[in-house]
Amino acid sequence: MGNDCNYVLKNVDSLAECVPSHLTAFIKVIRALNNVKDACFSTDFLDPNYKEIIGEFEQSIKDLKTIHGINILNKWHITVKHLPQWIDKYQKPLGRYGEHELEALHHRYNVYRTRRFICQNTSKPTYSDKFFRACVTLNADAT
């Protein structure tokens, strides 16, 4: 999950204080999602009660749909139906297999590209050389 999403999940209690009572179903979904994240998306810890935790998330989504008519998002469906299937098969949390490693590498590359080689304008003739040097330097520093 991205930093902005994690910020919301970690600060849901503060958010709950500001939300009108008719919107508390949204707070329940956010809390339940945070519980799923903690139970299933670590790199080294899998909560043995992950199915119940995912079930609570599913119920909070159903309540949200009933109360506010919110459609079930595809990612919610994947979390509720396919995440437990994957965990049942591999008996591991999903944290090791997510996109965050690639996103972290992408961020590191952008730091190299924009700070060390200053190649932001793709239309400049020097862009391809700077792009190449940024890639080579990043790879050399990683070894």
mmCIF file with all atom_site columns, all heavy atoms in Angstrom, residues 68-85:
data_model
loop_
_atom_site.group_PDB
_atom_site.id
_atom_site.type_symbol
_atom_site.label_atom_id
_atom_site.label_alt_id
_atom_site.label_comp_id
_atom_site.label_asym_id
_atom_site.label_entity_id
_atom_site.label_seq_id
_atom_site.pdbx_PDB_ins_code
_atom_site.Cartn_x
_atom_site.Cartn_y
_atom_site.Cartn_z
_atom_site.occupancy
_atom_site.B_iso_or_equiv
_atom_site.pdbx_formal_charge
_atom_site.auth_seq_id
_atom_site.auth_comp_id
_atom_site.auth_asym_id
_atom_site.auth_atom_id
_atom_site.pdbx_PDB_model_num
ATOM 1   N N   . HIS A 1 68 ? -24.981 2.664   1.748   1.00 0.00 ? 68 HIS A N   1
ATOM 2   C CA  . HIS A 1 68 ? -24.694 3.784   0.851   1.00 0.00 ? 68 HIS A CA  1
ATOM 3   C C   . HIS A 1 68 ? -24.793 3.439   -0.638  1.00 0.00 ? 68 HIS A C   1
ATOM 4   O O   . HIS A 1 68 ? -24.576 4.308   -1.494  1.00 0.00 ? 68 HIS A O   1
ATOM 5   C CB  . HIS A 1 68 ? -23.303 4.354   1.145   1.00 0.00 ? 68 HIS A CB  1
ATOM 6   C CG  . HIS A 1 68 ? -23.196 4.962   2.500   1.00 0.00 ? 68 HIS A CG  1
ATOM 7   N ND1 . HIS A 1 68 ? -23.762 6.175   2.813   1.00 0.00 ? 68 HIS A ND1 1
ATOM 8   C CD2 . HIS A 1 68 ? -22.608 4.510   3.638   1.00 0.00 ? 68 HIS A CD2 1
ATOM 9   C CE1 . HIS A 1 68 ? -23.520 6.463   4.078   1.00 0.00 ? 68 HIS A CE1 1
ATOM 10  N NE2 . HIS A 1 68 ? -22.819 5.465   4.607   1.00 0.00 ? 68 HIS A NE2 1
ATOM 11  N N   . GLY A 1 69 ? -25.051 2.175   -0.967  1.00 0.00 ? 69 GLY A N   1
ATOM 12  C CA  . GLY A 1 69 ? -25.172 1.805   -2.373  1.00 0.00 ? 69 GLY A CA  1
ATOM 13  C C   . GLY A 1 69 ? -23.853 1.811   -3.122  1.00 0.00 ? 69 GLY A C   1
ATOM 14  O O   . GLY A 1 69 ? -23.824 1.916   -4.346  1.00 0.00 ? 69 GLY A O   1
ATOM 15  N N   . ILE A 1 70 ? -22.750 1.665   -2.398  1.00 0.00 ? 70 ILE A N   1
ATOM 16  C CA  . ILE A 1 70 ? -21.416 1.664   -3.006  1.00 0.00 ? 70 ILE A CA  1
ATOM 17  C C   . ILE A 1 70 ? -21.189 0.324   -3.710  1.00 0.00 ? 70 ILE A C   1
ATOM 18  O O   . ILE A 1 70 ? -21.410 -0.737  -3.133  1.00 0.00 ? 70 ILE A O   1
ATOM 19  C CB  . ILE A 1 70 ? -20.315 1.870   -1.939  1.00 0.00 ? 70 ILE A CB  1
ATOM 20  C CG1 . ILE A 1 70 ? -20.531 3.159   -1.165  1.00 0.00 ? 70 ILE A CG1 1
ATOM 21  C CG2 . ILE A 1 70 ? -18.923 1.803   -2.547  1.00 0.00 ? 70 ILE A CG2 1
ATOM 22  C CD1 . ILE A 1 70 ? -20.304 4.416   -1.947  1.00 0.00 ? 70 ILE A CD1 1
ATOM 23  N N   . ASN A 1 71 ? -20.748 0.359   -4.949  1.00 0.00 ? 71 ASN A N   1
ATOM 24  C CA  . ASN A 1 71 ? -20.433 -0.866  -5.681  1.00 0.00 ? 71 ASN A CA  1
ATOM 25  C C   . ASN A 1 71 ? -19.155 -1.493  -5.161  1.00 0.00 ? 71 ASN A C   1
ATOM 26  O O   . ASN A 1 71 ? -18.233 -0.791  -4.733  1.00 0.00 ? 71 ASN A O   1
ATOM 27  C CB  . ASN A 1 71 ? -20.298 -0.586  -7.179  1.00 0.00 ? 71 ASN A CB  1
ATOM 28  C CG  . ASN A 1 71 ? -21.618 -0.252  -7.810  1.00 0.00 ? 71 ASN A CG  1
ATOM 29  O OD1 . ASN A 1 71 ? -22.646 -0.826  -7.457  1.00 0.00 ? 71 ASN A OD1 1
ATOM 30  N ND2 . ASN A 1 71 ? -21.610 0.675   -8.745  1.00 0.00 ? 71 ASN A ND2 1
ATOM 31  N N   . ILE A 1 72 ? -19.088 -2.795  -5.251  1.00 0.00 ? 72 ILE A N   1
ATOM 32  C CA  . ILE A 1 72 ? -17.900 -3.529  -4.821  1.00 0.00 ? 72 ILE A CA  1
ATOM 33  C C   . ILE A 1 72 ? -16.811 -3.331  -5.869  1.00 0.00 ? 72 ILE A C   1
ATOM 34  O O   . ILE A 1 72 ? -16.998 -3.635  -7.044  1.00 0.00 ? 72 ILE A O   1
ATOM 35  C CB  . ILE A 1 72 ? -18.209 -5.036  -4.665  1.00 0.00 ? 72 ILE A CB  1
ATOM 36  C CG1 . ILE A 1 72 ? -19.382 -5.262  -3.704  1.00 0.00 ? 72 ILE A CG1 1
ATOM 37  C CG2 . ILE A 1 72 ? -16.968 -5.800  -4.225  1.00 0.00 ? 72 ILE A CG2 1
ATOM 38  C CD1 . ILE A 1 72 ? -19.154 -4.812  -2.299  1.00 0.00 ? 72 ILE A CD1 1
ATOM 39  N N   . LEU A 1 73 ? -15.671 -2.812  -5.431  1.00 0.00 ? 73 LEU A N   1
ATOM 40  C CA  . LEU A 1 73 ? -14.547 -2.590  -6.331  1.00 0.00 ? 73 LEU A CA  1
ATOM 41  C C   . LEU A 1 73 ? -13.842 -3.912  -6.627  1.00 0.00 ? 73 LEU A C   1
ATOM 42  O O   . LEU A 1 73 ? -13.843 -4.824  -5.800  1.00 0.00 ? 73 LEU A O   1
ATOM 43  C CB  . LEU A 1 73 ? -13.548 -1.612  -5.714  1.00 0.00 ? 73 LEU A CB  1
ATOM 44  C CG  . LEU A 1 73 ? -14.081 -0.221  -5.399  1.00 0.00 ? 73 LEU A CG  1
ATOM 45  C CD1 . LEU A 1 73 ? -13.021 0.581   -4.673  1.00 0.00 ? 73 LEU A CD1 1
ATOM 46  C CD2 . LEU A 1 73 ? -14.502 0.495   -6.666  1.00 0.00 ? 73 LEU A CD2 1
ATOM 47  N N   . ASN A 1 74 ? -13.211 -3.988  -7.794  1.00 0.00 ? 74 ASN A N   1
ATOM 48  C CA  . ASN A 1 74 ? -12.504 -5.199  -8.190  1.00 0.00 ? 74 ASN A CA  1
ATOM 49  C C   . ASN A 1 74 ? -11.415 -5.565  -7.176  1.00 0.00 ? 74 ASN A C   1
ATOM 50  O O   . ASN A 1 74 ? -11.241 -6.732  -6.836  1.00 0.00 ? 74 ASN A O   1
ATOM 51  C CB  . ASN A 1 74 ? -11.913 -5.013  -9.591  1.00 0.00 ? 74 ASN A CB  1
ATOM 52  C CG  . ASN A 1 74 ? -11.423 -6.312  -10.167 1.00 0.00 ? 74 ASN A CG  1
ATOM 53  O OD1 . ASN A 1 74 ? -12.014 -7.361  -9.944  1.00 0.00 ? 74 ASN A OD1 1
ATOM 54  N ND2 . ASN A 1 74 ? -10.342 -6.252  -10.907 1.00 0.00 ? 74 ASN A ND2 1
ATOM 55  N N   . LYS A 1 75 ? -10.685 -4.580  -6.668  1.00 0.00 ? 75 LYS A N   1
ATOM 56  C CA  . LYS A 1 75 ? -9.619  -4.887  -5.700  1.00 0.00 ? 75 LYS A CA  1
ATOM 57  C C   . LYS A 1 75 ? -10.196 -5.422  -4.395  1.00 0.00 ? 75 LYS A C   1
ATOM 58  O O   . LYS A 1 75 ? -9.564  -6.225  -3.720  1.00 0.00 ? 75 LYS A O   1
ATOM 59  C CB  . LYS A 1 75 ? -8.751  -3.658  -5.451  1.00 0.00 ? 75 LYS A CB  1
ATOM 60  C CG  . LYS A 1 75 ? -7.841  -3.357  -6.616  1.00 0.00 ? 75 LYS A CG  1
ATOM 61  C CD  . LYS A 1 75 ? -6.832  -2.302  -6.287  1.00 0.00 ? 75 LYS A CD  1
ATOM 62  C CE  . LYS A 1 75 ? -5.925  -2.095  -7.471  1.00 0.00 ? 75 LYS A CE  1
ATOM 63  N NZ  . LYS A 1 75 ? -4.809  -1.216  -7.189  1.00 0.00 ? 75 LYS A NZ  1
ATOM 64  N N   . TRP A 1 76 ? -11.387 -4.977  -4.026  1.00 0.00 ? 76 TRP A N   1
ATOM 65  C CA  . TRP A 1 76 ? -12.030 -5.522  -2.825  1.00 0.00 ? 76 TRP A CA  1
ATOM 66  C C   . TRP A 1 76 ? -12.381 -6.986  -3.056  1.00 0.00 ? 76 TRP A C   1
ATOM 67  O O   . TRP A 1 76 ? -12.181 -7.819  -2.184  1.00 0.00 ? 76 TRP A O   1
ATOM 68  C CB  . TRP A 1 76 ? -13.268 -4.728  -2.462  1.00 0.00 ? 76 TRP A CB  1
ATOM 69  C CG  . TRP A 1 76 ? -12.983 -3.342  -1.976  1.00 0.00 ? 76 TRP A CG  1
ATOM 70  C CD1 . TRP A 1 76 ? -11.763 -2.793  -1.701  1.00 0.00 ? 76 TRP A CD1 1
ATOM 71  C CD2 . TRP A 1 76 ? -13.938 -2.316  -1.725  1.00 0.00 ? 76 TRP A CD2 1
ATOM 72  N NE1 . TRP A 1 76 ? -11.914 -1.488  -1.301  1.00 0.00 ? 76 TRP A NE1 1
ATOM 73  C CE2 . TRP A 1 76 ? -13.229 -1.177  -1.298  1.00 0.00 ? 76 TRP A CE2 1
ATOM 74  C CE3 . TRP A 1 76 ? -15.317 -2.243  -1.829  1.00 0.00 ? 76 TRP A CE3 1
ATOM 75  C CZ2 . TRP A 1 76 ? -13.861 0.009   -0.961  1.00 0.00 ? 76 TRP A CZ2 1
ATOM 76  C CZ3 . TRP A 1 76 ? -15.942 -1.055  -1.483  1.00 0.00 ? 76 TRP A CZ3 1
ATOM 77  C CH2 . TRP A 1 76 ? -15.222 0.055   -1.056  1.00 0.00 ? 76 TRP A CH2 1
ATOM 78  N N   . HIS A 1 77 ? -12.911 -7.286  -4.240  1.00 0.00 ? 77 HIS A N   1
ATOM 79  C CA  . HIS A 1 77 ? -13.240 -8.666  -4.583  1.00 0.00 ? 77 HIS A CA  1
ATOM 80  C C   . HIS A 1 77 ? -11.984 -9.544  -4.521  1.00 0.00 ? 77 HIS A C   1
ATOM 81  O O   . HIS A 1 77 ? -12.010 -10.639 -3.958  1.00 0.00 ? 77 HIS A O   1
ATOM 82  C CB  . HIS A 1 77 ? -13.871 -8.734  -5.983  1.00 0.00 ? 77 HIS A CB  1
ATOM 83  C CG  . HIS A 1 77 ? -13.917 -10.128 -6.526  1.00 0.00 ? 77 HIS A CG  1
ATOM 84  N ND1 . HIS A 1 77 ? -14.880 -11.045 -6.148  1.00 0.00 ? 77 HIS A ND1 1
ATOM 85  C CD2 . HIS A 1 77 ? -13.101 -10.770 -7.403  1.00 0.00 ? 77 HIS A CD2 1
ATOM 86  C CE1 . HIS A 1 77 ? -14.655 -12.192 -6.771  1.00 0.00 ? 77 HIS A CE1 1
ATOM 87  N NE2 . HIS A 1 77 ? -13.588 -12.054 -7.542  1.00 0.00 ? 77 HIS A NE2 1
ATOM 88  N N   . ILE A 1 78 ? -10.904 -9.062  -5.081  1.00 0.00 ? 78 ILE A N   1
ATOM 89  C CA  . ILE A 1 78 ? -9.652  -9.822  -5.069  1.00 0.00 ? 78 ILE A CA  1
ATOM 90  C C   . ILE A 1 78 ? -9.204  -10.074 -3.633  1.00 0.00 ? 78 ILE A C   1
ATOM 91  O O   . ILE A 1 78 ? -8.797  -11.182 -3.278  1.00 0.00 ? 78 ILE A O   1
ATOM 92  C CB  . ILE A 1 78 ? -8.561  -9.086  -5.880  1.00 0.00 ? 78 ILE A CB  1
ATOM 93  C CG1 . ILE A 1 78 ? -8.922  -9.122  -7.366  1.00 0.00 ? 78 ILE A CG1 1
ATOM 94  C CG2 . ILE A 1 78 ? -7.183  -9.693  -5.635  1.00 0.00 ? 78 ILE A CG2 1
ATOM 95  C CD1 . ILE A 1 78 ? -8.095  -8.184  -8.226  1.00 0.00 ? 78 ILE A CD1 1
ATOM 96  N N   . THR A 1 79 ? -9.300  -9.051  -2.794  1.00 0.00 ? 79 THR A N   1
ATOM 97  C CA  . THR A 1 79 ? -8.889  -9.190  -1.394  1.00 0.00 ? 79 THR A CA  1
ATOM 98  C C   . THR A 1 79 ? -9.756  -10.207 -0.665  1.00 0.00 ? 79 THR A C   1
ATOM 99  O O   . THR A 1 79 ? -9.253  -11.056 0.072   1.00 0.00 ? 79 THR A O   1
ATOM 100 C CB  . THR A 1 79 ? -8.969  -7.827  -0.678  1.00 0.00 ? 79 THR A CB  1
ATOM 101 O OG1 . THR A 1 79 ? -8.102  -6.902  -1.342  1.00 0.00 ? 79 THR A OG1 1
ATOM 102 C CG2 . THR A 1 79 ? -8.570  -7.938  0.780   1.00 0.00 ? 79 THR A CG2 1
ATOM 103 N N   . VAL A 1 80 ? -11.049 -10.154 -0.888  1.00 0.00 ? 80 VAL A N   1
ATOM 104 C CA  . VAL A 1 80 ? -11.981 -11.006 -0.149  1.00 0.00 ? 80 VAL A CA  1
ATOM 105 C C   . VAL A 1 80 ? -11.986 -12.446 -0.661  1.00 0.00 ? 80 VAL A C   1
ATOM 106 O O   . VAL A 1 80 ? -12.041 -13.386 0.133   1.00 0.00 ? 80 VAL A O   1
ATOM 107 C CB  . VAL A 1 80 ? -13.401 -10.389 -0.213  1.00 0.00 ? 80 VAL A CB  1
ATOM 108 C CG1 . VAL A 1 80 ? -14.453 -11.360 0.258   1.00 0.00 ? 80 VAL A CG1 1
ATOM 109 C CG2 . VAL A 1 80 ? -13.441 -9.106  0.595   1.00 0.00 ? 80 VAL A CG2 1
ATOM 110 N N   . LYS A 1 81 ? -11.914 -12.626 -1.963  1.00 0.00 ? 81 LYS A N   1
ATOM 111 C CA  . LYS A 1 81 ? -12.040 -13.974 -2.534  1.00 0.00 ? 81 LYS A CA  1
ATOM 112 C C   . LYS A 1 81 ? -10.699 -14.637 -2.849  1.00 0.00 ? 81 LYS A C   1
ATOM 113 O O   . LYS A 1 81 ? -10.484 -15.802 -2.541  1.00 0.00 ? 81 LYS A O   1
ATOM 114 C CB  . LYS A 1 81 ? -12.886 -13.939 -3.816  1.00 0.00 ? 81 LYS A CB  1
ATOM 115 C CG  . LYS A 1 81 ? -14.314 -13.499 -3.582  1.00 0.00 ? 81 LYS A CG  1
ATOM 116 C CD  . LYS A 1 81 ? -15.034 -14.427 -2.633  1.00 0.00 ? 81 LYS A CD  1
ATOM 117 C CE  . LYS A 1 81 ? -16.459 -13.939 -2.400  1.00 0.00 ? 81 LYS A CE  1
ATOM 118 N NZ  . LYS A 1 81 ? -17.092 -14.540 -1.251  1.00 0.00 ? 81 LYS A NZ  1
ATOM 119 N N   . HIS A 1 82 ? -9.790  -13.897 -3.467  1.00 0.00 ? 82 HIS A N   1
ATOM 120 C CA  . HIS A 1 82 ? -8.573  -14.524 -3.986  1.00 0.00 ? 82 HIS A CA  1
ATOM 121 C C   . HIS A 1 82 ? -7.384  -14.456 -3.023  1.00 0.00 ? 82 HIS A C   1
ATOM 122 O O   . HIS A 1 82 ? -6.512  -15.320 -3.074  1.00 0.00 ? 82 HIS A O   1
ATOM 123 C CB  . HIS A 1 82 ? -8.225  -13.943 -5.347  1.00 0.00 ? 82 HIS A CB  1
ATOM 124 C CG  . HIS A 1 82 ? -9.350  -14.115 -6.325  1.00 0.00 ? 82 HIS A CG  1
ATOM 125 N ND1 . HIS A 1 82 ? -9.816  -15.346 -6.715  1.00 0.00 ? 82 HIS A ND1 1
ATOM 126 C CD2 . HIS A 1 82 ? -10.138 -13.205 -6.957  1.00 0.00 ? 82 HIS A CD2 1
ATOM 127 C CE1 . HIS A 1 82 ? -10.825 -15.201 -7.552  1.00 0.00 ? 82 HIS A CE1 1
ATOM 128 N NE2 . HIS A 1 82 ? -11.044 -13.905 -7.718  1.00 0.00 ? 82 HIS A NE2 1
ATOM 129 N N   . LEU A 1 83 ? -7.351  -13.472 -2.149  1.00 0.00 ? 83 LEU A N   1
ATOM 130 C CA  . LEU A 1 83 ? -6.271  -13.420 -1.151  1.00 0.00 ? 83 LEU A CA  1
ATOM 131 C C   . LEU A 1 83 ? -6.298  -14.653 -0.245  1.00 0.00 ? 83 LEU A C   1
ATOM 132 O O   . LEU A 1 83 ? -5.256  -15.291 -0.059  1.00 0.00 ? 83 LEU A O   1
ATOM 133 C CB  . LEU A 1 83 ? -6.350  -12.123 -0.340  1.00 0.00 ? 83 LEU A CB  1
ATOM 134 C CG  . LEU A 1 83 ? -5.347  -11.980 0.802   1.00 0.00 ? 83 LEU A CG  1
ATOM 135 C CD1 . LEU A 1 83 ? -3.911  -12.022 0.287   1.00 0.00 ? 83 LEU A CD1 1
ATOM 136 C CD2 . LEU A 1 83 ? -5.604  -10.673 1.559   1.00 0.00 ? 83 LEU A CD2 1
ATOM 137 N N   . PRO A 1 84 ? -7.460  -15.041 0.307   1.00 0.00 ? 84 PRO A N   1
ATOM 138 C CA  . PRO A 1 84 ? -7.447  -16.257 1.127   1.00 0.00 ? 84 PRO A CA  1
ATOM 139 C C   . PRO A 1 84 ? -7.076  -17.511 0.334   1.00 0.00 ? 84 PRO A C   1
ATOM 140 O O   . PRO A 1 84 ? -6.417  -18.402 0.874   1.00 0.00 ? 84 PRO A O   1
ATOM 141 C CB  . PRO A 1 84 ? -8.883  -16.373 1.658   1.00 0.00 ? 84 PRO A CB  1
ATOM 142 C CG  . PRO A 1 84 ? -9.581  -15.130 1.305   1.00 0.00 ? 84 PRO A CG  1
ATOM 143 C CD  . PRO A 1 84 ? -8.749  -14.377 0.318   1.00 0.00 ? 84 PRO A CD  1
ATOM 144 N N   . GLN A 1 85 ? -7.465  -17.566 -0.934  1.00 0.00 ? 85 GLN A N   1
ATOM 145 C CA  . GLN A 1 85 ? -7.090  -18.716 -1.757  1.00 0.00 ? 85 GLN A CA  1
ATOM 146 C C   . GLN A 1 85 ? -5.571  -18.798 -1.902  1.00 0.00 ? 85 GLN A C   1
ATOM 147 O O   . GLN A 1 85 ? -4.974  -19.871 -1.797  1.00 0.00 ? 85 GLN A O   1
ATOM 148 C CB  . GLN A 1 85 ? -7.732  -18.617 -3.146  1.00 0.00 ? 85 GLN A CB  1
ATOM 149 C CG  . GLN A 1 85 ? -9.227  -18.764 -3.153  1.00 0.00 ? 85 GLN A CG  1
ATOM 150 C CD  . GLN A 1 85 ? -9.835  -18.421 -4.507  1.00 0.00 ? 85 GLN A CD  1
ATOM 151 O OE1 . GLN A 1 85 ? -9.205  -17.805 -5.368  1.00 0.00 ? 85 GLN A OE1 1
ATOM 152 N NE2 . GLN A 1 85 ? -11.091 -18.823 -4.694  1.00 0.00 ? 85 GLN A NE2 1
#
